[in-house]
Amino acid sequence: GITCGTTEELSNVSNQLARSGFKPIIDSKYTLNELPNALAYMREGKHVGKIVIEFWLGAMVLIRITIVEDDEDWLEIISSSLEENLRNEKHEISTIKYENHLQTINKLIFLEPDLAILDINMANSSRAGIRLAEEIKEKMPDLDFRFLSAQKEKDKDILRDVAKFSGEIPFEKADFRENMDLFAVFISNIIRKK
């Protein structure tokens, strides 16, 4: 059996694991249809590490989306809007409040998202999100990025910098501040392509 602590204790442990960069050792992965094989393998006792059961939801795999933003209000606006508007998509949304590169990279590695939505301007740095993407891409080369900006019109070089990671132009926050459905539709289209 398992003994669980409080929600606060779980949160503290999760944050410590994210900061440490700890990753469990994965022995093998099975689909839900292969569950009998996974259980038989577990009974043999020859595994070293975790036996993972991947859940396929319908014809689609679960898409993990992580939003990185330094503004808690925007984190809430974006995540709640996506949750509300992506009801027909198989997804899981997590958020990271940006404080520094190392902390954010460690959390992203721990969460293993399929799609990262990064604010370009974080912590009073006009390119923090782009620099973060450069560092993350080295460690997670298959991660798909989309960017948010409040300065696309002021800084035309942002388009060139974002093009290194995504064929899409950054979302201008002012464009969808009043219509988050538009943003959610765009993210939904990305999910359907995966």
Side-chain angles (χ1 to χ4, degrees):
I2 297 175
T3 303
C4 295
T6 66
T7 303
E8 182 180 348
E9 290 169 331
L10 178 60
S11 178
N12 289 339
V13 168
S14 296
N15 287 333
Q16 288 174 354
L17 287 173
R19 281 192 299 273
S20 74
F22 172 81
K23 295 192 76 136
I25 296 170
I26 306 294
D27 178 89
S28 54
K29 293 183 180 182
Y30 294 86
T31 66
L32 190 56
N33 292 339
E34 298 171 313
L35 183 60
N37 296 339
L39 292 171
Y41 181 62
M42 184 177 70
R43 279 189 217 104
E44 290 175 12
K46 296 178 182 177
H47 62 282
V48 177
K50 301 295 182 187
I51 299 171
V52 175
I53 307 300
E54 294 178 329
F55 289 87
W56 294 82
L57 302 173
M60 296 175 56
V61 68
L62 179 71
I63 302 295
R64 295 173 309 239
I65 303 168
T66 299
I67 304 161
V68 179
E69 169 68 74
D70 64 337
D71 183 319
E72 287 185 32
D73 291 337
W74 270 106
L75 275 174
E76 176 59 28
I77 290 167
I78 295 166
S79 63
S80 62
S81 176
L82 288 177
E83 285 293 353
E84 183 179 321
N85 289 289
L86 295 180
R87 289 187 189 143
N88 297 328
E89 308 300 333
K90 310 299 187 217
H91 69 281
E92 175 182 281
I93 296 175
S94 57
T95 61
I96 299 174
K97 183 176 185 310
Y98 178 87
E99 293 172 16
N100 63 60
H101 271 39
L102 183 58
Q103 168 249 15
T104 303
I105 289 170
N106 286 337
K107 284 185 176 181
L108 277 166
I109 290 170
F110 181 75
L111 293 169
E112 295 182 327
D114 301 296
L115 173 64
I117 301 172
L118 306 176
D119 187 10
I120 292 175
N121 182 5
M122 294 185 288
N124 296 318
S125 173
S126 64
R127 295 276 196 298
I130 293 170
R131 286 191 300 279
L132 181 64
E134 289 169 347
E135 292 178 44
I136 294 167
K137 201 65 172 169
E138 291 176 15
K139 295 174 176 28
M140 303 174 77
D142 296 328
L143 181 58
D144 193 3
F145 293 96
R146 293 300 182 271
F147 294 91
L148 303 171
S149 176
Q151 59 189 12
K152 186 173 67 178
E153 295 303 317
K154 298 175 196 166
D155 186 350
K156 300 296 184 186
D157 291 336
I158 285 176
L159 298 177
R160 180 197 68 227
D161 294 342
V162 167
K164 296 177 203 173
F165 304 100
S166 167
E168 308 290 339
I169 62 171
F171 296 108
E172 183 67 39
K173 288 180 178 179
D175 291 346
F176 60 83
R177 179 181 297 253
E178 300 302 320
N179 185 1
M180 286 301 294
D181 294 349
L182 177 66
F183 179 68
V185 166
F186 188 83
I187 296 301
S188 178
N189 287 336
I190 294 168
I191 290 172
R192 287 186 186 126
K193 291 178 187 175
K194 289 201 167 281

